[in-house]
Amino acid sequence: MTDLHTSEAVTGTGDRSRPRAALPALCATQITSWGIVYYAFPVLNPQITAATRWPVGATTAAFSAALLVSALAGIRVGRIIDRHGPRTVMTAGSLLGVLSILIVAAAPNLPVFAAGWMLAGGAMAATFYQPAFAALTRWFAPNHVRALTIVTLAGGLASTVFAPATAALADHLSWRATYAVLALVLAVVTIPAHALALRGPWPAAPPAPAHADGGARTVSHSRPFLILACALTLSAFSVYAVVVALVPLLLERGFTTSEAAWALGLGGAGQTLGRTLYATLARRTGVTGRTTTLLALGGITTAALAIAPGPYALLIALAVAAGMVRGNLTLLQATAITDRWGTTHYGHLSGLLAAPATAASALAPFAGATLAPPLGGYPHLFTLLALLSAVAALIAAAATTPKQ
């Protein structure tokens, strides 16, 4: 096994010509893209279903379809960034994101609503963490972990900023008008940031470490890669089901929409806090131990949310704790490839590793909404999700790490 410093030694030398504005720009666009294209939905969905009388399972399935499209498109996006850099693909993703949210806002019926979310899936693949991680890993190696931490610290504020903001808008506007306002914010922040700040030259990929010199195909078919993908996929299903189901869990327990939105938002603050601890954790643990520990902690925090009916302050604390784990899991996935196989094929391998996890996260909201009633409510759903995280931790414990 290896620690963080060992892994950085094999990830390349970076490029002094990296664009200085790239990191702050990506911080701003990650907050905005995640906050509007992802976190606004769980806040607005109860209002959407109440106003349109569309089944909650159907609206959630449309959102899940977006995540599934993102999983599939992400593989191609990773290859493009490996070869050509992030500017064109991320700018196009911003444009597509604005268009998709406007279609969702104006949808006269459920099929058009679903079509808007399918387009949003392409925007997610081109603007969310994976393309940002690929850009920063190539530009900032071998100090890419610091850059990744900074951008995920910023991204962790997405729900903190936009869940309450979305709820506040929805208190005064219809859900359609709320989405239209959010689409305008998305356009103003992300389109110029991606177009203007990501213009630096794209450095050549560094040589692959010896154990990965068979290329991306050899690595992606190896036992460690497949086990890691399986563990992260189960964990992603649990984690993202919890994110989307947290609001209905608290509503079921008698709290208001605003209180539930604040719990979701403060969970995002927990992500930011948790990510500040990742570098220390990485220095003190090996790759397999770190992976196993974080997946197990995801199960523990989910189980705690299942068990505790209140008071509200306790549920807030648990939401923050779950956010801290979720924040570390984001960095765990961001560094999983470089910790084991270097940066040579980072975009491609990262896309392959993220695809099943993103597909699982795509199914999670729909599966959670579908399973909660027959299971007897959201507390029982959270119990099931905690068990899945425990299984993921056991699978991760069986993985072996390539020698660096």
Side-chain angles (χ1 to χ4, degrees), residues 3-341:
D3 64 19
L4 180 62
H5 296 297
T6 304
S7 68
E8 286 185 351
V10 299
T11 56
T13 59
D15 193 309
R16 293 182 181 273
S17 61
R18 70 174 70 104
R20 294 183 179 182
L23 183 55
L26 288 173
C27 287
T29 62
Q30 289 302 304
I31 293 174
T32 308
S33 296
W34 276 97
I36 292 173
V37 184
Y38 189 92
Y39 284 108
F41 175 78
V43 176
L44 290 177
N45 195 40
Q47 186 176 339
I48 293 171
T49 55
T52 62
R53 298 189 182 278
W54 297 335
V56 63
T59 57
T60 308
F63 183 69
S64 296
L67 297 172
L68 185 59
V69 170
S70 174
L72 298 174
I75 298 173
R76 179 61 180 166
V77 167
R79 290 176 178 173
I80 293 172
I81 292 178
D82 273 346
R83 295 172 184 171
H84 305 293
R87 184 190 180 203
T88 299
V89 71
M90 296 193 77
T91 303
S94 291
L95 290 165
L96 185 60
V98 173
L99 175 62
S100 66
I101 295 301
L102 289 174
I103 291 173
V104 167
N109 52 50
L110 192 55
V112 175
F113 182 83
W117 279 113
M118 296 284 280
L119 290 177
M124 292 175 184
T127 59
F128 277 12
Y129 277 142
Q130 292 306 314
F133 289 163
L136 294 174
T137 296
R138 181 72 67 86
W139 267 324
F140 283 82
N143 299 314
H144 58 283
V145 173
R146 178 178 177 273
L148 295 176
T149 301
I150 291 171
V151 81
T152 55
L153 286 174
L157 297 174
S159 62
T160 307
V161 173
F162 281 96
T166 300
L169 284 171
D171 284 341
H172 301 283
L173 302 172
S174 69
W175 70 269
R176 296 181 187 277
T178 298
Y179 260 138
V181 171
L182 292 175
L184 177 62
V185 175
L186 186 68
V188 169
V189 174
T190 67
I191 294 173
H194 288 150
L196 300 176
L198 304 181
R199 294 188 295 178
W202 190 235
H211 65 269
D213 61 7
R217 180 177 177 83
T218 299
V219 171
S220 65
H221 285 73
S222 67
R223 181 177 181 274
F225 187 93
L226 295 174
I227 290 178
L228 180 64
C230 182
L232 293 180
T233 297
L234 285 176
S235 174
F237 181 90
S238 176
V239 165
Y240 282 95
V242 166
V243 170
V244 177
L246 182 61
V247 169
L249 172 74
L250 296 186
L251 293 177
E252 188 174 293
R253 285 175 167 162
F255 297 100
T256 67
T257 300
S258 180
E259 288 172 327
W262 271 107
L264 180 63
L266 290 172
Q271 289 186 77
T272 300
L273 176 62
R275 286 165 185 162
T276 64
L277 306 175
Y278 184 80
T280 300
L281 177 66
R283 285 194 299 269
R284 297 183 178 183
T285 59
V287 174
T288 301
R290 181 162 65 251
T291 304
T292 302
T293 298
L294 288 174
L295 297 185
L297 287 173
I300 291 170
T301 55
T302 302
L305 284 167
I307 294 170
Y312 182 65
L314 174 60
L315 294 174
I316 287 290
L318 292 175
V320 171
M324 291 177 67
V325 175
R326 192 163 67 245
N328 277 277
L329 286 171
T330 301
L331 281 170
L332 180 76
Q333 181 165 321
T335 58
I337 298 300
T338 51
D339 280 347
R340 296 164 173 84
W341 300 287

Side-chain angles (χ1 to χ4, degrees), residues 363-390:
L363 297 174
F366 173 73
T370 302
L371 289 172
L375 286 174
Y378 281 90
H380 292 91
L381 172 65
F382 273 56
T383 300
L384 175 62
L385 296 174
L387 291 174
L388 288 179
S389 288

